[in-house]
């Protein structure tokens, strides 16, 4: 919904809003916030709120620390769980600007906006429908999260076997109050694992929605005495959590992926877009799967795609084509996980797909076999490559892709890789519980 400055000031008074959260996102996908009282709202709407960017990892240097938050007025929404008199709150998602009035090159929202502008010049609108999975776990006597659950449900099970039903319903109600259109919610395959699907939107709004969704899920889980996590693989031996990304391109109101006369009902540009994604996917994985832990999800046997492939229906492939056609025609990229920065992830997805269209790339042959059961020698014969096996490998591949470096820009690429290599080094030198159990007695 489009709001003006006057609309927001009126609504703040009408709803007796006391606090305003100015939200923004760091390079690593963490939601940040500056809280204002109602008296400062007009100042915020005039783009006059400054913050110390040097305090945010990967943002600005200490001698260039002053930065401004410019609220996107269309993101104004009242937080429904903050409904007590004297505590009512609303939020605005902000873009980050330098003191000279230019957009900050390290703002992930700006990175996505740049790619959307390139698509717009070609006449395209980029629509995205994410599927965010998460786990609900119990907390200990000190309120610290555990990895245990009293839930034993499986795919689509119902309460009382599904212990997450009431929380999912509560989340759905709150999200709808915030303007989301909830399409479905259900229990996922692993104990304690949940999924809530909301309607697709243009990519910028979709990325904003992902950040809002994660905040709502975590907040309401805490109110129910549980902990929600979007960690990709919190428990060994069961499925991890993915964030399947459904993508389509529209031009003059028409879905350009749809072609009833094309193979599988898809246009030539769909296959070019798929080819672009497949060409860059290994190099994109450091963005779409950004944690050391992400690569413990991307292993055979747990429904996560490990191999560079596509199919019109096969769910073991990296990209599949859902059955809907017409305006709902789309491709589904199944490798990303919900720990990624959605602004960066969608930016690289769009750039890779458009590269495929621009160069009229052709994808590899469709794979209809179960890749999890296919022998490695057969995959090699078919030219089916594997995704990177670790964050370290993924970072090396990212650095070799000129297109993705251009998408991210020097600032984000340098700071992102620096932060992630630090994470890799910390993991490599840490002694794990597995090592203690495996070696302490025997050596």
């Amino acid at each position: 919904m489009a709001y003006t400055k006057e609309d927001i000031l009126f609504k703040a008074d009408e709803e007796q809003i006391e606090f305003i959260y100015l939200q923004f996102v760091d390079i690593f996908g963490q939601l940040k916030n500056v809280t204002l009282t109602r008296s400062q709202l007009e100042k915020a709407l005039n783009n006059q709120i400054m913050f110390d960017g040097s305090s945010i990892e990967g943002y600005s240097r200490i001698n260039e620390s002053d930065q401004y938050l410019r609220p996107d007025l269309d993101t104004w929404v009242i937080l429904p769980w903050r409904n007590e008199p004297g505590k009512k709150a609303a939020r605005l998602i902000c873009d980050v600007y330098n003191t000279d009035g230019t957009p900050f090159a390290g703002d992930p929202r700006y990175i996505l906006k740049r790619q959307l502008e390139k698509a717009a010049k070609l006449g395209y609108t980029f629509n995205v429908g994410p599927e965010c999975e998460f786990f609900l776990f119990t907390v200990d006597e000190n309120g610290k999260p555990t990895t245990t659950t009293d839930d034993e449900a499986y795919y689509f099970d119902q309460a009382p076997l599904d212990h997450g039903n009431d929380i999912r319903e509560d989340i759905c109600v709150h999200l709808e109050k915030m303007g989301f259109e909830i399409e479905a919610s259900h229990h996922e395959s692993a104990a304690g694992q949940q999924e809530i699907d909301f309607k697709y939107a243009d990519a910028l709004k979709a990325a904003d929605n992902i950040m809002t969704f994660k905040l709502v899920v975590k907040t309401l889980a805490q109110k129910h005495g549980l902990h929600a996590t979007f960690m990709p693989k919190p428990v060994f031996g069961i499925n991890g959590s993915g964030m399947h990304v459904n993508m389509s391109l529209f031009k003059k109101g028409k879905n350009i992926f749809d072609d009833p006369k094309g193979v599988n009902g898809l246009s030539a540009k769909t296959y070019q877009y798929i080819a672009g994604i497949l060409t860059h996917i290994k190099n994109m994985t450091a963005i779409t799967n950004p944690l050391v832990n992400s690569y413990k999800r991307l292993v055979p046997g747990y429904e996560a795609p490990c191999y560079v492939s596509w199919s019109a229906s096969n769910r073991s492939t990296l990209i599949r084509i859902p059955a809907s056609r017409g305006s709902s025609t789309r491709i589904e990229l199944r490798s990303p996980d919900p720990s990624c920065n959605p602004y960066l992830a969608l930016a690289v997805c769009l750039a890779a797909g458009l590269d495929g269209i621009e160069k009229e790339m052709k994808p590899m042959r469709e794979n209809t076999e179960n890749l999890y059961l296919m022998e490695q020698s057969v995959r090699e014969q078919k030219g089916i490559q594997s995704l990177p096996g670790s964050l370290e490998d993924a970072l090396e591949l990212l650095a070799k892709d000129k297109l993705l470096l251009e998408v991210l820009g020097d600032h984000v690429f340098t700071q992102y890789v620096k932060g992630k290599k630090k994470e890799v080094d910390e993991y490599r030198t840490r002694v794990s519980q597995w090592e203690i159990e495996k070696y302490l007695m025997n050596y």
Side-chain angles (χ1 to χ4, degrees):
M1 183 174 181
Y3 288 113
T4 65
K5 172 184 170 182
E6 290 71 27
D7 290 335
I8 291 175
L9 292 171
F10 175 79
K11 287 181 175 294
D13 290 337
E14 182 182 44
E15 298 290 339
Q16 298 181 317
I17 301 299
E18 295 290 341
F19 299 99
I20 296 90
Y21 297 159
L22 299 185
Q23 299 174 343
F24 60 104
V25 180
D26 72 10
I27 288 173
F28 305 105
Q30 294 297 310
L31 189 65
K32 302 295 182 180
N33 169 69
V34 173
T35 304
L36 307 178
T37 59
R38 167 63 184 84
S39 63
Q40 300 300 301
L41 177 56
E42 187 164 8
K43 182 179 178 181
L45 297 176
N46 289 332
N47 302 325
Q48 295 174 332
I49 298 300
M50 187 179 290
F51 74 103
D52 177 9
S54 67
S55 299
I56 308 296
E57 186 179 3
Y59 259 44
S60 57
R61 294 173 292 186
I62 193 73
N63 60 332
E64 304 172 326
S65 59
D66 290 338
Q67 294 179 302
Y68 283 92
L69 294 174
R70 291 194 180 184
D72 181 336
L73 304 190
D74 294 344
T75 65
W76 167 268
V77 69
I78 295 170
L79 305 181
W81 62 88
R82 293 289 304 270
N83 56 8
E84 297 178 27
K87 294 185 178 180
K88 289 187 175 182
R91 76 94 199 270
L92 286 160
I93 297 176
C94 301
D95 296 305
V96 181
Y97 274 72
N98 301 312
T99 54
D100 63 2
T102 58
F104 173 48
D107 179 9
R109 213 165 182 262
Y110 171 65
I111 300 296
L112 177 55
K113 279 185 170 183
R114 283 196 312 172
Q115 291 308 305
L116 294 176
E117 288 172 2
K118 289 183 178 181
K121 289 179 181 178
L122 298 172
Y124 297 135
T125 299
F126 182 42
N127 289 331
V128 175
E131 301 174 23
C132 298
E133 298 170 343
F134 60 96
F135 279 87
L136 292 172
F137 291 128
T138 59
V139 296
D140 64 19
E141 61 276 8
N142 298 315
K144 299 293 185 182
T146 69
T147 56
T148 61
T149 175
D150 57 3
D151 171 42
E152 296 179 355
Y154 188 63
Y155 264 131
F156 306 118
D157 279 341
Q158 190 173 4
L161 188 62
D162 171 15
H163 291 191
N165 184 73
D166 288 348
I167 299 179
R168 288 201 313 275
E169 289 181 351
D170 197 17
I171 292 169
C172 290
V173 168
H174 280 73
L175 287 170
E176 287 193 332
K177 288 180 180 178
M178 298 175 73
F180 282 65
E181 183 176 335
I182 304 300
E183 295 188 328
S185 73
H186 61 88
H187 196 284
E188 260 292 333
S189 63
Q193 191 179 34
Q194 323 290 327
E195 181 176 320
I196 298 174
D197 299 329
F198 45 91
K199 188 177 181 180
Y200 74 88
D202 67 86
L204 184 63
K205 185 175 182 181
D208 289 342
N209 284 345
I210 291 169
M211 296 306 303
T212 300
F213 176 79
K214 291 164 79 169
L215 173 65
V216 173
V217 168
K218 283 181 168 291
T219 299
L220 293 182
Q222 189 177 57
K223 286 183 176 291
H224 282 263
L226 297 175
H227 176 75
T229 181
F230 293 90
M231 179 179 176
K233 185 78 168 184
V235 180
F236 168 74
I238 63 175
N239 286 8
S241 291
M243 188 185 79
H244 300 169
V245 179
N246 293 270
M247 296 175 273
S248 60
L249 285 178
F250 277 66
K251 191 170 191 177
K252 296 180 179 180
K254 184 183 184 301
N255 187 336
I256 70 160
F257 285 177
D258 183 58
D259 182 357
K261 297 181 181 179
V263 179
N264 296 313
L266 304 175
S267 68
K269 282 186 168 56
T270 311
Y271 291 106
Q272 293 166 2
Y273 193 98
I274 290 171
I277 294 284
L278 295 177
T279 296
H280 294 280
I281 188 62
K282 292 170 65 174
N283 308 335
M284 290 162 46
T285 303
I287 302 297
T288 58
N289 305 81
L291 307 184
V292 167
N293 180 257
S294 297
Y295 298 83
K296 298 186 177 183
R297 168 182 167 258
L298 297 177
V299 295
Y302 296 98
E303 298 189 15
C306 318
Y307 309 111
V308 181
S309 54
W310 76 276
S311 170
S313 59
N314 185 354
R315 290 179 183 268
S316 71
T317 57
L318 183 78
I319 291 176
R320 80 173 188 100
I321 315 298
S324 300
R325 291 295 181 266
S327 62
S328 298
T329 305
R330 62 197 187 273
I331 72 168
E332 179 189 56
L333 180 63
R334 299 171 59 81
S335 58
D337 69 56
S339 69
C340 72
N341 183 324
Y343 302 97
L344 300 184
L346 297 187
V348 297
C349 284
L350 176 58
L354 290 180
D355 191 44
I357 291 176
E358 180 184 357
K359 296 176 181 176
E360 298 183 348
M361 296 180 184
K362 293 183 178 181
M364 64 181 66
R365 181 175 297 179
E366 176 184 3
N367 185 83
T368 57
E369 301 174 69
N370 187 336
L371 288 169
Y372 302 138
L373 303 179
M374 187 181 291
E375 295 289 338
Q376 181 177 345
S377 59
V378 177
R379 290 198 305 273
E380 290 175 352
Q381 289 174 8
K382 292 176 176 287
I384 299 173
Q385 299 180 354
S386 298
L387 291 177
S390 69
L391 178 57
E392 186 173 21
D393 291 344
L395 290 169
E396 290 182 4
L397 290 170
L398 173 63
K400 297 175 181 179
D401 194 309
K402 292 181 179 179
L403 174 71
L404 301 184
L405 299 189
E406 180 183 341
V407 172
L408 297 175
D410 290 340
H411 181 97
V412 169
F413 170 74
T414 301
Q415 296 300 324
Y416 187 87
V417 170
K418 179 181 177 182
K420 289 301 168 182
K421 284 187 174 180
K422 180 180 177 182
E423 189 174 325
V424 168
D425 288 341
E426 183 179 346
Y427 173 73
R428 183 165 46 216
T429 57
R430 187 70 60 91
V431 178
S432 69
Q433 186 60 36
W434 179 88
E435 292 170 278
I436 297 295
E437 293 173 0
K438 186 78 173 177
Y439 303 131
L440 192 63
M441 286 292 292
N442 293 337
Y443 294 94

